């Protein structure tokens, strides 16, 4: 609808949009740039009677104006005023009323002592920097009458800030709020990809002392996978500070999670600034990473279809038609095949080389690389289509059984994580049988993934078997693409659940593994008796291990070091993770025995071994107008192994 309207708008204004009808603007004539040959109306101060400019903060203007309109009637009939009247709808509410007010400052500048006062160039430049992308998103040039050099003045020349009155009103609103009840204002609308990028970047800039935005890669169609991070030291892993990630929109047509995470980012920034003690404590002790959209390409298709179709038809997959939640390495099958082997390690399972011969989505690759590069402790992936929290394993231990309870070694911890979200949600865990998600009422809104329905290649299973991270899947509701009127109620249903889930990372135990000299030991393992799932230490030797209350025997060891065990009791009412440190002594290395427990590190580190993705990111090399032949990504594998490639593979070159 927006493009249709814009086409009509362009048709109506085509003859006059690019340049104004006047041969010389009064402002340019004053500067000696040109001279009008027509008889002009004498500049006169008059009352401001433009309805779309009624809130500019002054009541008198002058005609002819900066644009050469001879009267208020001329200004009202101009294309500039028409654009200001539709700017809110045209830009989906983004950057308004700022653009409208700055436009009004050109169209109807204030008059004082029979002189016109121009708007400040600095205001215009700041506005264009923040909002230029909104016009690019609808394939429209920046409006000519907002030319910062031509129609605006410097501070030295004397100017006024057209946004000063707006800022004063906003400040008055903020000051009227009770300091005991901090308040954050969020616009609960659907957000296009360009709006999402802009909003997250602006949020990070607004709270640069606790936030930053960074990209983990690009999609098939070249869109950024943009993450916003919150921490009291953004960009750095701090010793003993747990890392949490929240991922939305993995399926492009499941939109609610994407919107909730965008709102959460704004909420965290604003509430921290307003002095909310809960949010300040959370951000000061936790590093939070939010990937609002893992599949922005799919979202584009779903958004074109719109919420009236409920998002069920298009946009689930990425631009390669790959379901991203079936595209991760199937490490669960590897686990099932080897779980009875006494010496086979059931955590940090390497990615099989054969996986790289399959079709790996760039979105999947980016998230895997991201998950390996940061020591995440806990994660949640937000989906839509049901109202329930599921947890690993997602793939049945008997693949032919599509609905079979298939627990991990951390079944109790996963149930605790799932319960945290479901119980904090306003309806997910209640026993009402006449609602979305009602058939999960017996388990109060949580379920083992494979017991619900089994499938391989899930992101949650990959996180559990390849990294330290424990991830749950949150199905947010039966409507995958809710209408805008539902967004605020959904935020109220999920806000507390999101906050409590992030806070729940401060459970179990944490600590540092050091040598006798006090140096942290990287890649030491932390084992808990009775749970065949170890976690490893990060660069500084710190670790986090999520555990349920009770007594646990915890053992730390590292290759070439002694083994140390401790008995740890975690009471039911413990509100934070218990501190358990270890000091290890160096011992003679026993490679044969140790290699059972510590597979060669290069095996786990073997990621994208044939440079499949580097090939697609390297530019083609051209010499003297001739494009060099680039070997396919699998060529190095066969060259190094001495094996000849099969004919069918050679024919594909």
């Amino acid at each position: 609808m927006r493009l249709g309207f814009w086409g009509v708008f362009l048709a109506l204004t085509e003859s006059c949009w690019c340049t104004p009808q006047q041969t010389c603007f009064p402002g340019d004539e004053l500067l000696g740039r040109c001279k009008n040959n027509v008889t002009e109306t004498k500049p006169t101060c008059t009352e401001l009677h433009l309805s779309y400019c009624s809130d500019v903060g002054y009541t008198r203007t002058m005609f002819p104006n900066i644009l050469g309109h001879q009267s208020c009637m001329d200004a009202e009939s101009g294309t500039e005023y028409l654009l200001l009247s539709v700017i809110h709808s045209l830009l989906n509410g983004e950057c308004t009323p700022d653009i409208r007010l700055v436009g009004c400052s050109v169209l109807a500048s204030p008059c004082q002592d029979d002189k016109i006062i121009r708007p400040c160039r600095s205001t215009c430049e700041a506005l264009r920097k923040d909002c230029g992308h909104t016009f690019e998103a609808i394939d429209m040039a920046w409006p000519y009458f907002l030319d910062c050099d031509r129609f605006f003045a410097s501070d030295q020349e004397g100017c006024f800030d057209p946004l000063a009155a707006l800022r004063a009103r906003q400040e008055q609103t903020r000051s009227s709020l009770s300091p005991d009840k901090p308040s954050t204002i969020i616009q609960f609308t659907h957000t296009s990809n360009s709006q999402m990028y802009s909003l997250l970047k602006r949020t990070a800039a607004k709270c640069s002392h606790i936030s930053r935005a960074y990209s983990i890669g690009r999609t098939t169609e070249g869109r950024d996978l943009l993450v916003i991070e919150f921490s009291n030291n953004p960009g750095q892993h701090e010793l003993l500070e747990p890392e949490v990630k929240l991922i939305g929109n993995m399926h492009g047509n499941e939109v609610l999670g994407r919107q909730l995470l965008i709102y959460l980012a704004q909420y965290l920034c604003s509430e921290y600034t307003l002095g909310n003690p809960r949010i300040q404590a959370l951000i000061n002790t936790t590093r939070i990473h939010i990937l609002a959209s893992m599949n922005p390409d799919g979202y584009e298709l779903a958004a074109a279809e719109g919420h009236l179709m409920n998002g069920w038809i298009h946009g689930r997959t990425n631009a390669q038609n790959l379901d991203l939640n079936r595209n991760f390495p199937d490490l669960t099958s590897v686990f099932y095949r080897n779980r009875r082997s006494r010496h086979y390690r059931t955590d940090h399972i390497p990615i099989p080389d054969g996986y790289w011969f399959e079709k790996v989505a760039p979105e999947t690759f980016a998230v895997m690389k991201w998950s390996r590069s940061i020591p995440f402790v806990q994660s949640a992936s937000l989906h839509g289509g049901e109202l329930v929290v599921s947890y690993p394993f997602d793939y049945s231990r008997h693949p032919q059984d599509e609905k079979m309870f298939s627990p991990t070694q951390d079944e109790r911890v996963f149930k605790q994580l799932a319960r945290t979200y479901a119980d904090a949600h306003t309806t997910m865990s209640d026993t009402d049988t006449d609602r979305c998600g009602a058939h999960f009422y017996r388990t109060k809104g949580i379920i083992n993934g494979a017991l619900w329905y089994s499938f391989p290649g899930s992101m949650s299973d990959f996180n559990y078997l390849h990294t330290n991270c424990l991830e749950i899947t949150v199905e947010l509701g039966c409507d995958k693409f809710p209408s805008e009127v539902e967004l605020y109620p959904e935020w109220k249903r999920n806000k507390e659940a999101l906050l409590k889930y992030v806070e729940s990372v401060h459970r179990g135990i944490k600590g540092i593994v050091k040598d006798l000299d006090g140096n942290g030991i990287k890649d030491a393992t932390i084992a808990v008796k009775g749970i065949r799932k170890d976690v490893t230490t990060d660069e500084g030797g710190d670790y986090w291990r999520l555990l349920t209350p009770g007594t646990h025997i915890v053992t730390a060891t590292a290759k070439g070091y002694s083994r140390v065990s401790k008995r740890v009791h975690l009471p039911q009412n413990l509100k934070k993770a218990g501190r358990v440190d270890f000091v290890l002594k160096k011992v003679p290395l026993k490679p044969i025995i140790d290699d059972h427990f510590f597979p060669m590190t290069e095996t786990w580190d073997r990621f994208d071994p044939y440079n499949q993705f580097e090939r697609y990111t390297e530019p083609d090399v051209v010499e003297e107008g001739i494009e060099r032949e680039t070997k396919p990504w699998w060529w190095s594998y066969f060259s190094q192994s001495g094996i000849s490639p099969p004919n069918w593979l050679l024919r594909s070159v």
Side-chain angles (χ1 to χ4, degrees):
M1 181 179 293
R2 183 179 71 182
L3 292 178
F5 168 80
W6 183 232
V8 174
F9 180 80
L10 283 177
L12 290 172
T13 62
E14 185 177 9
S15 63
C16 58
W17 177 249
C18 294
T19 58
Q21 295 176 354
Q22 289 76 21
T23 59
C24 184
F25 295 112
D28 290 339
E29 187 175 17
L30 290 172
L31 295 174
R33 294 174 178 168
C34 59
K35 183 176 180 65
N36 274 318
N37 295 321
V38 297
T39 303
E40 294 184 356
T41 305
K42 182 181 178 181
T44 308
C45 284
T46 183
E47 292 296 316
L48 176 57
H49 294 300
L50 295 174
S51 58
Y52 287 107
C53 300
S54 60
D55 57 347
V56 291
Y58 51 89
T59 59
R60 293 180 66 78
T61 186
M62 175 177 278
F63 288 101
N65 63 9
I66 296 176
L67 300 178
H69 297 126
Q70 299 296 306
S71 66
C72 181
M73 185 176 295
D74 286 347
E76 271 188 315
S77 61
T79 56
E80 302 87 359
Y81 190 69
L82 176 58
L83 177 61
L84 296 182
S85 70
V86 298
I87 197 72
H88 181 84
S89 299
L90 200 62
L91 301 181
N92 279 338
E94 190 169 4
C95 289
T96 58
D98 304 51
I99 288 178
R100 179 178 58 80
L101 291 173
V102 174
C104 284
S105 73
V106 175
L107 201 63
S109 304
C111 176
Q112 185 176 358
D113 299 329
D114 289 326
K115 292 183 180 179
I116 200 166
I117 305 175
R118 291 196 179 210
C120 292
R121 185 172 297 127
S122 57
T123 302
C124 175
E125 291 171 343
L127 183 69
R128 183 162 189 173
K129 181 179 179 182
D130 288 342
C131 300
H133 69 279
T134 59
F135 288 91
E136 293 172 4
I138 58 174
D139 296 323
M140 177 183 172
W142 183 255
Y144 88 89
F145 63 93
L146 297 183
D147 186 325
C148 302
D149 292 324
R150 191 172 192 178
F151 302 117
F152 294 76
S154 66
D155 295 339
Q156 292 75 15
E157 294 173 294
C159 64
F160 82 102
D161 182 356
L163 299 181
L166 174 65
R167 295 194 189 102
R169 290 195 296 270
Q170 292 172 339
E171 183 60 35
Q172 185 177 7
T173 300
R174 281 194 292 267
S175 63
S176 67
L177 297 173
S178 168
D180 298 327
K181 296 181 180 180
S183 178
T184 294
I185 300 173
I186 297 172
Q187 189 173 11
F188 292 96
T189 59
H190 283 296
T191 311
S192 69
N193 282 328
S194 61
Q195 290 170 341
M196 174 186 69
Y197 295 140
S198 172
L199 200 153
L200 294 179
K201 289 176 181 178
R202 294 207 321 257
T203 300
K206 178 182 176 183
C207 290
S208 58
H209 57 303
I210 57 162
S211 181
R212 72 176 179 119
Y214 65 96
S215 175
I216 60 171
R218 290 188 176 272
T219 67
T220 305
E221 294 183 344
R223 294 183 174 90
D224 265 324
L225 295 170
L226 190 68
V227 176
I228 185 168
E229 168 199 336
F230 290 92
S231 166
N232 62 348
N233 189 14
Q236 299 291 327
H237 171 71
E238 293 189 82
L239 209 62
L240 294 173
E241 184 170 277
E243 311 248 5
V244 181
K245 59 182 165 72
L246 302 173
I247 298 176
N249 206 202
M250 185 183 200
H251 294 140
N253 61 337
E254 296 170 9
V255 175
L256 181 56
R258 164 193 174 108
Q259 292 304 137
L260 292 178
L261 293 182
I262 292 171
Y263 304 152
L264 179 64
Q266 297 174 79
Y267 180 83
L268 292 175
C269 170
S270 178
E271 292 295 298
Y272 190 99
T273 304
L274 289 169
N276 185 325
R278 179 186 186 186
I279 301 305
Q280 289 184 337
L282 179 62
I283 291 176
N284 289 341
T285 59
T286 319
R287 193 177 178 207
I288 307 164
H289 306 255
I290 298 174
L291 175 60
S293 181
M294 183 179 168
N295 187 4
D297 293 353
Y299 173 82
E300 284 290 322
L301 291 176
E305 183 181 275
H307 75 89
L308 294 178
M309 295 297 294
N310 198 23
W312 285 96
I313 300 176
H314 297 111
R316 176 183 174 88
T317 58
N318 78 338
Q320 298 168 297
N321 201 31
L322 294 173
D323 188 326
L324 300 180
N325 207 28
R326 311 291 188 276
N327 193 234
F328 284 80
D330 178 16
L331 303 182
T332 323
S333 293
V334 178
F335 168 78
Y336 288 144
R337 285 197 303 268
N338 296 285
R339 69 184 186 276
R340 299 189 186 282
S341 172
R342 179 181 177 186
H343 296 302
Y344 187 81
R345 189 167 181 173
T346 57
D347 56 84
H348 295 80
I349 297 175
I351 298 172
D353 278 8
Y355 170 75
W356 302 106
F357 288 87
E358 301 169 7
K359 200 167 187 178
V360 181
E363 298 89 347
T364 309
F365 178 85
V367 170
M368 286 194 295
K369 191 172 182 179
W370 181 44
S371 301
R372 289 164 53 94
S373 65
I374 295 175
F376 292 114
V377 179
Q378 189 170 303
S379 176
S381 178
L382 308 187
H383 291 248
E386 259 297 352
L387 188 63
V388 68
V389 178
S390 71
Y391 57 88
F393 286 124
D394 286 323
Y395 194 35
S396 171
R397 52 184 170 168
H398 294 300
Q400 65 274 20
D401 292 329
E402 294 184 358
K403 295 179 181 292
M404 183 178 188
F405 177 60
S406 304
T408 66
Q409 290 288 309
D410 282 287
E411 167 70 9
R412 292 179 62 192
V413 176
F414 270 121
K415 287 185 75 171
Q416 178 178 260
L417 292 176
R419 283 257 64 87
T420 297
Y421 198 100
D423 290 348
H425 188 279
T426 58
T427 61
M428 192 179 287
S429 63
D430 67 32
T431 55
D432 180 10
T433 57
D434 187 23
R435 63 170 178 85
C436 171
H439 47 283
F440 298 107
Y441 82 92
R442 288 188 177 87
T443 56
K444 293 189 175 181
I446 69 170
I447 192 169
N448 171 257
L451 182 59
W452 183 14
Y453 65 94
S454 172
F455 64 94
S458 79
M459 184 165 66
S460 295
D461 283 9
F462 169 81
N463 271 277
Y464 183 71
L465 292 172
H466 190 68
T467 73
N468 290 339
C469 186
L470 273 61
E471 180 177 277
I472 61 171
T473 300
V474 182
E475 300 282 344
L476 294 164
C478 295
D479 192 348
K480 293 188 175 186
F481 202 135
S483 64
E484 286 192 343
V485 296
E486 282 298 311
L487 294 179
Y488 177 57
E490 287 293 352
W491 168 247
K492 290 198 295 183
R493 294 183 190 110
N494 286 278
K495 182 185 78 171
E496 184 63 22
L498 287 166
L499 293 176
K500 282 195 172 178
Y501 183 74
V502 176
E503 289 170 334
S504 70
V505 74
H506 295 276
R507 287 175 174 169
I509 59 174
K510 64 180 179 180
I512 303 175
V513 180
K514 300 178 181 179
D515 60 21
L516 291 176
D517 296 323
N519 301 312
I521 302 174
K522 181 186 176 184
D523 290 332
T525 60
I526 305 298
V528 180
K529 186 176 181 180
I531 303 176
R532 287 190 66 190
K533 156 72 175 178
D534 299 346
V535 299
T536 56
T537 56
D538 193 46
E539 295 282 349
D542 60 329
Y543 75 90
W544 281 81
R545 184 49 164 110
L546 297 175
L547 291 170
T548 54
T551 300
H552 305 275
I553 305 298
V554 184
T555 301
T557 189
K559 197 170 186 177
Y561 287 87
S562 62
R563 181 185 302 267
V564 175
S565 297
K566 294 185 178 183
R567 181 185 296 272
V568 177
H569 177 70
L570 298 177
Q572 287 283 348
N573 59 352
L574 187 65
K575 300 299 183 183
K576 61 181 181 180
R579 179 75 181 265
V580 183
D581 294 336
F582 294 90
V583 177
L584 307 184
K585 299 178 181 179
K586 284 192 174 183
V587 296
L589 188 62
K590 299 178 181 179
I592 297 178
I593 297 176
D594 282 355
D595 281 349
H596 286 301
F597 296 95
F598 303 94
M600 293 176 64
T601 56
E602 61 265 30
T603 303
W604 187 87
D605 290 338
R606 192 171 169 81
F607 186 71
D608 189 19
Y610 313 116
N611 297 326
Q612 179 179 2
F613 285 86
E614 286 186 19
R615 175 177 180 266
Y616 290 116
T617 57
E618 290 175 353
D620 293 330
V621 180
V622 179
E623 183 179 7
E624 296 180 352
I626 301 174
E627 185 173 323
R628 292 180 182 172
E629 181 182 359
T630 304
K631 299 296 185 185
W633 59 268
W634 44 262
W635 191 269
S636 62
Y637 170 76
F638 288 102
S639 299
Q640 294 170 12
S641 64
I643 303 172
S644 299
N647 290 331
W648 65 266
L649 200 56
L650 289 171
R651 285 194 297 269
S652 69
V653 178

